[in-house]
Amino acid sequence: MDLTHDTGRSGLGGERRLFAARLITGLIQGVALYALYFAGEHGLWPRTQPATFGALALAAGYAPVVVLAGVGRLSPRTLAIWTAAAAVVLALLGWHDVNRRVLESWVQPPFLSFPTMAFGAAALFIAHHLIVPAVRAGRWIAPYADYFDIAWKAGVQLAMSLAFTGAFWLVLHLGAALFKVIGIDALGDLLGQAWFAMPVLCLAFATAVQLTDVRDGLIRGVRTVALMLLSWLTPVMVVLTAGFLAALPFTGLEGLWGTRSATALVLSAAGALIVLINTAYQDGRPDNRPPTALCWTVRAGGVLLVPLVGLAFWGLMLRIGQHGLTPDRIIALACAAVGAVYAAGYLLAAVRRGEWMRPLERTNFAAAVLSVGLILALFSPVLDPARLAVADQVARLERGAVKTDDFDYDFLRFDSGRAGRAALDRLARSDDAEVARLAKAARQRDARDYSDPAERRRRAERVRLHPAPGQTVPAELTAQIDSLADVLNLCGGQEGCTVRPIDLDGDGRDEALVAAPFVVLALARDPGGDWRVAGRYGAGCPSAKSDSLAQALARGVATAPAALPDLVVGGRRLQAQPQIDCDVR
């Protein structure tokens, strides 16, 4: 069958048929998603079959998008086969996502996890744009220009369709607000109903796909402009990356590893560089070749990918060597593996003589296939990250790499699903009495035990305290950090906290202000020298500036006298909670 041209697009009648097919698909998708949402939210789904719910939810959420994207481009028979295959694979991923977890059915409906939805969407997009060009070309591997043309056009369509859907929803809410002003709440109430919102949003998205599809020249024009603009960001990214790598021998790697997110940061930089290189290369045809200066910049970017991905692997191996595997590290390792394919291929393209960067094409195809394969393996029983992480952590315990009382039993109890629970049950029957006791204690907990000394030590390792300029963090405070639960909770994120010593009560001894983005803790020392939380401050009204409290505290702080004294009433001390004036400067 000849599929070298779009099917079903002949004339106005063909466009109407495509529009009708997409609207029907959108309506069916919206109704199916609402039915599943209603069943899950109201406990109507059989609790003995939560995994089936996950299977249907992922298939209903994504398989119709295959129809929206493929109708008119593939023959009905080919489209039906591909949609059915995609639905089956998506259903299996959704089934495994719910089945591998331990669901408390009275608390949590069997909804899908965010990583499965995000990576499932990525795998579907890549696979669709590997299959469609190949089918249309009648070959297992299509010409690279076809992959480029179809995938980048679809990316622009997807972005514009999502933007249209969001704008449509905002317009409806604006209309609801106008009606509400005159006392009519019906539209606002309607927008708040899931039975209305889900089908309408799916119909809006289907409409946007159709509108962007029939304006083929417009989409190609938008793509051309976007690629041209993005390609000139390549020199900026290359200079920044080169400067970063050149500075590392002088600054050392301690600061990078101290962020505890070095791998994600470096891989993100590598991903941005890969995208920008492709915006400059485009489909590789000589008439699309950029200026000479940009060509040499792209070559430099291909070389710089190697040390970037190498740094990511190094950081991962350090963390895995210190603390073993976790699900997040396994996923990061897979991303780094894909990055290594890009780095090797782009290095070859950059240094090879001949047609400019031509090996990039084979590299992109190989990396796309590998990405789909890894996603399917990671989110299925084949390479389930939770199962692999549990096996590694238990092996570390059994060979003595981690002490019995330092082992994270709560990871098995709360963060690793059925595999973790099964491992915890095995440890509860261990011949080591202490291991069995701690495993049984973890098995009986309903929430993580943050009072456990080992858990506090683990959380203290994640705390980052940054001194304000010209200040230092008191050494005694750092030494006692694992005993301050509020600080552990506030300062363990990526941003950490800013610390500024200051004498708040005028007794000649410094207290310490510890500022997170939206909360400031006041820490004081008791007569024995132990730090404790003496109070807290919060932003009483929204700030006109974007700075967080931690950023503002780094620049300075001033004290103001209390407006109202404490009262003693009936032997009880009452503290005033004054009205906060948002205009105070």
Side-chain angles (χ1 to χ4, degrees):
M1 181 176 293
D2 181 14
L3 292 172
T4 58
H5 66 280
D6 291 350
T7 61
R9 290 174 176 268
S10 55
L12 185 59
E15 289 186 7
R16 288 175 175 172
R17 287 193 295 272
L18 289 178
F19 197 8
R22 285 185 168 124
L23 285 180
I24 293 171
T25 301
L27 181 61
I28 292 173
Q29 180 187 28
V31 171
L33 288 176
Y34 172 70
L36 288 168
Y37 169 82
F38 184 85
E41 189 70 17
H42 294 82
L44 301 180
W45 190 265
R47 293 181 178 177
T48 57
Q49 301 176 5
T52 307
F53 180 96
L56 294 175
L58 197 61
Y62 289 160
V65 180
V66 174
V67 179
L68 295 178
V71 66
R73 291 183 172 84
L74 299 174
S75 69
R77 179 175 178 272
T78 304
L79 180 59
I81 293 173
W82 165 223
T83 303
V88 170
V89 173
L90 289 166
L92 292 174
L93 295 182
W95 182 89
H96 175 69
D97 179 56
V98 176
N99 187 65
R100 67 181 177 82
R101 289 183 280 149
V102 177
L103 297 174
E104 309 295 351
S105 57
W106 57 90
V107 175
Q108 179 186 7
F111 295 151
L112 296 163
S113 64
F114 176 76
T116 297
M117 292 189 292
F119 281 96
L124 183 63
F125 183 89
I126 297 170
H128 183 78
H129 295 99
L130 287 173
I131 290 173
V132 171
V135 171
R136 289 165 62 90
R139 298 162 51 182
W140 284 102
I141 300 178
Y144 182 76
D146 292 353
Y147 290 119
F148 166 82
D149 181 61
I150 293 175
W152 280 89
K153 179 189 172 187
V156 173
Q157 280 187 280
L158 177 62
M160 295 183 71
S161 298
L162 290 173
F164 174 86
T165 305
F168 170 78
W169 196 241
L170 288 176
V171 168
L172 287 183
H173 276 279
L174 178 60
L178 289 175
F179 278 105
K180 187 174 182 179
V181 169
I182 58 175
I184 300 175
D185 296 330
L187 181 56
D189 294 339
L190 188 63
L191 294 179
Q193 300 296 318
W195 63 264
F196 175 80
M198 288 186 174
V200 166
L201 286 174
C202 290
L203 282 171
F205 181 78
T207 301
V209 172
Q210 174 67 17
L211 294 175
T212 55
D213 197 41
V214 298
R215 301 291 184 268
D216 188 73
L218 176 62
I219 296 299
R220 292 180 189 275
V222 171
R223 183 189 68 185
T224 301
V225 173
L227 289 174
M228 183 271 294
L229 292 174
L230 288 173
S231 67
W232 284 103
L233 291 178
T234 308
V236 178
M237 190 66 196
V238 167
V239 169
L240 292 174
T241 302
F244 165 74
L245 294 172
L248 284 180
F250 303 98
T251 62
L253 296 172
E254 290 78 8
L256 182 63
W257 304 147
T259 64
R260 302 182 188 276
S261 57
T263 297
L265 181 63
V266 173
L267 284 177
S268 297
L273 194 54
I274 290 168
V275 171
L276 293 176
I277 287 173
N278 278 277
T279 62
Y281 185 80
Q282 298 191 28
D283 59 5
R285 293 186 305 178
D287 56 331
N288 282 332
R289 184 168 299 178
T292 302
L294 192 53
C295 287
W296 283 105
T297 302
V298 168
R299 288 186 184 272
V303 174
L304 292 175
L305 272 177
V306 175
L308 274 181
V309 175
L311 273 176
F313 268 113
W314 188 4
L316 263 177
M317 292 302 104
L318 285 177
R319 297 299 292 174
I320 291 172
Q322 292 169 346
H323 305 292
L325 291 175
T326 64
D328 289 343
R329 288 175 197 146
I330 292 171
I331 293 175
L333 198 59
C335 294
V338 175
V341 172
Y342 277 113
Y346 283 27
L347 176 64
L348 175 63
V351 302
R352 183 179 176 180
R353 293 185 178 183
E355 201 165 353
W356 177 64
M357 295 295 288
R358 179 51 63 88
L360 173 149
E361 298 178 3
R362 294 193 297 272
T363 301
N364 284 350
F365 180 82
V369 174
L370 177 63
S371 298
V372 174
L374 284 176
I375 290 173
L376 295 181
L378 289 170
F379 292 91
S380 70
V382 177
L383 291 178
D384 181 13
R387 176 175 56 81
L388 297 178
V390 166
D392 180 70
Q393 293 292 343
V394 172
R396 283 168 52 83
L397 174 65
E398 292 174 343
R399 69 172 181 264
V402 58
K403 295 180 180 178
T404 298
D405 57 349
D406 286 338
F407 183 74
D408 192 356
Y409 298 91
D410 283 348
F411 167 73
L412 304 181
R413 174 69 175 84
F414 299 107
D415 298 334
S416 50
R418 292 178 182 270
R421 294 287 182 92
L424 194 62
D425 290 341
R426 291 196 301 271
L427 292 179
R429 300 189 298 270
S430 172
D431 294 333
D432 187 319
E434 183 65 9
V435 169
R437 182 186 69 81
L438 294 172
K440 290 175 181 177
R443 195 168 55 176
Q444 294 172 356
R445 285 196 287 271
D446 293 326
R448 277 185 170 273
D449 182 13
Y450 292 135
S451 66
D452 177 64
E455 176 61 26
R456 289 203 305 269
R457 285 196 298 272
R458 283 190 291 270
R459 289 173 65 81
E461 291 177 356
R462 298 194 291 268
V463 168
R464 288 183 293 281
L465 300 179
H466 313 296
Q471 305 288 324
T472 58
V473 179
E476 301 88 348
L477 175 58
T478 303
Q480 298 174 24
I481 201 71
D482 60 348
S483 65
L484 298 167
D486 289 330
V487 177
L488 294 179
N489 291 330
L490 282 176
C491 306
Q494 183 175 351
E495 294 185 19
C497 290
T498 299
V499 180
R500 178 179 285 275
I502 184 174
D503 184 4
L504 292 173
D505 53 13
D507 64 353
R509 298 180 62 191
D510 278 346
E511 286 72 39
L513 296 178
V514 177
F518 304 106
V519 177
V520 178
L521 297 178
L523 306 183
R525 281 175 287 191
D526 59 26
D530 293 332
W531 287 89
R532 59 181 177 81
V533 177
R536 67 177 60 218
Y537 303 89
C541 45
S543 172
K545 299 180 179 180
S546 60
D547 289 351
S548 68
L549 290 178
Q551 293 169 326
L553 187 77
R555 294 195 299 270
V557 64
T559 60
L564 298 171
D566 293 351
L567 301 178
V568 178
V569 179
R572 291 176 294 177
R573 184 166 183 159
L574 308 180
Q575 289 184 323
Q577 298 179 358
Q579 179 70 28
I580 296 176
D581 183 359
C582 293
D583 294 328
V584 170
R585 296 289 185 267

